[in-house]
Amino acid sequence: DDPVADRPVALDLERPEVHSVDLAIERALPFGMTGSATYLYSKGRKLPFFRDTNLNPANSTVNYVLEGQPVGSFPLYRGARPNTTDFQRMIVMESTVSTRYNALVLAANKRFAQGLMFNTSYTLAKAADNGQTSATFFGGNLPHDTLTYRSNPVDSPMSPSNNDRRHRYVASFHYQPQYLWGIGVGGIVTLAVGLGLMGFHS
């Protein structure tokens, strides 16, 4: 008998761990401005993964296309499940997911003076994992199955996360000079590379 088949959690399930580091350097600049450089690092270990153990090995593949752009090839399962008499999905929670995030944030800010204030920042980042999903509880919406990550995501190499965004720029400003009799104008600009489909690369 499979010891995992009759229990919702793996026998070696552990508490998840997240370690993070934030190192910043800030310096005063002319004209009431400040500049800063910040390095961010985060590493997750033993994060939960919900795996369906009632699946045979994939016997085909399917290619997905989103808005005319190829997403990638994924396993396709045909035929009945191994255990069709008593169960359909047999989902087990395992502590097998790892994540890693590195980012460099460059920022410049100007306090309100001479009618102008602004904040601007640029982030260069990389997020990677070996199979993280958005599922947090048991349920029928299974993000990944047994074979997508070679039966155990902890054995899979790190690859770009589904929410990986390498470049992001944000700027906001408020302009209210005295000669406009209290009338001001402001705005926010956000520029970022699209999610693309980096997280689907094998």
Side-chain angles (χ1 to χ4, degrees):
D1 294 339
D2 184 356
V4 176
D6 61 351
R7 63 183 67 239
V9 297
L11 293 174
D12 59 349
L13 186 70
E14 299 183 62
R15 292 179 181 272
E17 299 178 1
V18 177
H19 306 275
S20 60
V21 175
D22 184 340
L23 177 63
I25 299 176
E26 186 172 358
R27 184 177 179 85
L29 301 174
F31 309 107
M33 297 175 54
T34 59
S36 65
T38 304
Y39 170 69
L40 304 172
Y41 175 78
S42 178
K43 180 179 181 180
R45 299 176 61 249
K46 306 174 185 177
L47 302 183
F49 181 81
F50 298 85
R51 183 165 66 94
D52 190 347
T53 62
N54 195 21
L55 285 174
N56 285 315
N59 52 19
S60 183
T61 59
V62 59
N63 298 319
Y64 286 97
V65 177
L66 178 64
E67 296 182 352
Q69 299 295 323
V71 175
S73 298
F74 298 88
L76 180 63
Y77 300 85
R78 299 180 183 275
R81 293 174 178 267
N83 189 337
T84 58
T85 303
D86 302 316
F87 304 98
Q88 287 296 315
R89 295 182 176 90
M90 297 168 58
I91 302 174
V92 176
M93 182 172 67
E94 305 170 324
S95 52
T96 52
V97 174
S98 298
T99 62
R100 184 171 59 242
Y101 177 78
N102 286 275
L104 173 65
V105 182
L106 303 177
N109 304 307
K110 182 183 184 302
R111 65 177 183 271
F112 188 75
Q114 290 80 48
L116 176 64
M117 176 184 69
F118 68 81
N119 300 278
T120 181
S121 66
Y122 164 73
T123 303
L124 173 64
K126 181 179 181 181
D129 61 59
N130 64 345
Q132 186 180 25
T133 72
S134 59
T136 56
F137 298 98
F138 295 100
N141 184 21
L142 186 66
H144 296 288
D145 53 42
T146 307
L147 277 301
T148 303
Y149 289 95
R150 296 184 299 180
S151 298
N152 193 335
V154 75
D155 296 328
S156 302
M158 302 287 279
S159 60
S161 300
N162 292 339
N163 59 352
D164 182 34
R165 292 198 177 191
R166 300 296 171 86
H167 307 279
R168 182 180 179 87
Y169 175 77
V170 179
S172 62
F173 72 95
H174 180 74
Y175 183 58
Q176 187 177 336
Q178 294 182 352
Y179 59 81
L180 289 182
W181 307 286
I183 300 175
V185 60
I188 299 175
V189 176
T190 301
L191 303 174
V193 297
L195 288 176
L197 298 169
M198 293 182 290
F200 293 100
H201 293 180
S202 59

